[in-house]
Amino acid sequence: MDENRLDKALEESFSDTRAVFTEHVNDPAKYIEDAIRSIRKCKCEPFVIKATVLEPGLEGKTPGDTIQGYCVAKSNGYWLVYEPKEGTFYCFRGTSVENLGVRGIVGGALECWLA
């Protein structure tokens, strides 16, 4: 997939903050702004990556299924992944790219990064 299309999907995702949980912070706008800055700082050259769906599963996917997409940012065991067919982001977790899992964190880039 074209890197410009992935970057566009990521940047467009920042405009939808409805699903971002902010009740625990004093300044939601700053919290979201800091998250966007963090994602941009952790952006990487996109590459295909996969993860195994873990318990309790995801809507339409059961534990053991595999999800594949393009990693667009990574930091400390968090891998922000875009799946273009679904047009959604996932947060894969794990320390080794060969052994990643995904558990219930799906939606916009901010929602996934902050989960």
Side-chain angles (χ1 to χ4, degrees):
M1 179 169 210
D2 182 281
E3 188 171 345
N4 289 331
R5 285 180 43 199
L6 291 169
D7 194 50
K8 182 178 178 183
L10 179 63
E11 291 295 324
E12 286 177 354
S13 175
F14 294 156
S15 66
D16 184 3
T17 61
R18 293 173 292 173
V20 177
F21 180 74
T22 59
E23 318 307 273
H24 66 295
V25 297
N26 291 328
D27 188 344
K30 182 178 179 334
Y31 180 70
I32 289 170
E33 186 179 299
D34 289 347
I36 292 170
R37 191 175 310 116
S38 172
I39 293 171
R40 287 178 177 150
K41 179 181 174 187
C42 294
K43 278 176 58 173
C44 60
E45 185 173 326
F47 61 97
V48 176
I49 190 171
K50 64 181 179 179
T52 303
V53 176
L54 303 173
E55 292 288 344
L58 297 166
E59 187 175 327
K61 294 171 179 48
T62 58
D65 287 350
T66 299
I67 298 174
Q68 181 173 298
Y70 293 89
C71 182
V72 295
K74 58 183 179 168
S75 178
N76 300 322
Y78 279 65
W79 308 74
L80 184 62
V81 176
Y82 181 67
E83 205 296 320
K85 287 181 186 172
E86 297 173 3
T88 193
F89 288 87
Y90 290 89
C91 180
F92 292 1
R93 293 200 178 173
T95 56
S96 170
V97 72
E98 292 85 24
N99 187 24
L100 298 174
V102 59
R103 178 176 301 161
I105 304 169
V106 60
L110 290 168
E111 182 182 355
C112 292
W113 193 255
L114 292 169

